[in-house]
Amino acid sequence: MVRPNMRVAGPVLDARHPRALASFYEKLLGWALVESEGPRPGFPPEDGWAKLRSPAGDSKIEFQWEEHYVAPTWPTVPGEQLMMIHLDIEVDDRDEGAAWATAQGATVSDHQPQEGGRVMLDPEGHPFCLFAAS
């Protein structure tokens, strides 16, 4: 059997407020909100789904409502909700990137595993890392 053409288009993040989280990342990254739905009939107002697309059109991030969403614990703690995925976001300057992210609603994590690191938490508690290309 020949492997069909496959590529990872981007992650889908669970959230309590997916459309609000999409708005955060839309402002943070400057990516376009290309789809947004919700709430579905009979579901709470937080229900929904949204998709952002990169300016080049080659990547996307989606956000979906999860009724039982629990924010990950960072750093990890045995028995607590673990981070399953995080986004690496390249910036020219980590300090400027962190200031921009904070202005959009992110917080700087108290735990920074690397000197000069910039682990941030989005409004739903998902960690993301700002890094400068070397």
Side-chain angles (χ1 to χ4, degrees), residues 16-100:
R16 285 182 297 261
H17 301 92
R19 288 169 290 137
L21 190 59
S23 179
F24 164 78
Y25 279 103
E26 178 184 26
K27 291 182 280 187
L28 180 74
L29 300 172
W31 288 21
L33 177 68
V34 295
E35 295 183 60
S36 181
E37 298 176 2
R40 295 170 290 180
F43 284 79
E46 301 81 31
D47 175 54
W49 167 86
K51 179 171 34 175
L52 301 179
R53 176 117 2 237
S54 70
D58 58 350
S59 297
K60 58 89 178 166
I61 304 173
E62 294 181 42
F63 308 88
Q64 67 185 11
W65 181 69
E66 171 52 56
E67 179 180 12
H68 303 291
Y69 175 78
V70 175
T73 302
W74 176 254
T76 60
V77 175
E80 297 292 324
Q81 177 63 49
L82 300 176
M83 169 184 64
M84 300 297 290
I85 189 172
H86 73 273
L87 301 176
D88 276 347
I89 300 173
E90 185 176 347
V91 294
D92 292 332
D93 180 284
R94 283 187 298 227
D95 291 335
E96 288 178 8
W100 175 254

Side-chain angles (χ1 to χ4, degrees), residues 75-132:
T76 60
V77 175
E80 297 292 324
Q81 177 63 49
L82 300 176
M83 169 184 64
M84 300 297 290
I85 189 172
H86 73 273
L87 301 176
D88 276 347
I89 300 173
E90 185 176 347
V91 294
D92 292 332
D93 180 284
R94 283 187 298 227
D95 291 335
E96 288 178 8
W100 175 254
T102 301
Q104 306 315 307
T107 56
V108 177
S109 173
D110 291 336
H111 178 68
Q112 299 292 326
Q114 298 173 348
E115 175 118 10
R118 295 294 184 277
V119 177
M120 309 289 294
L121 303 174
D122 72 22
E124 293 268 348
H126 300 102
F128 64 94
C129 297
L130 302 177
F131 74 95

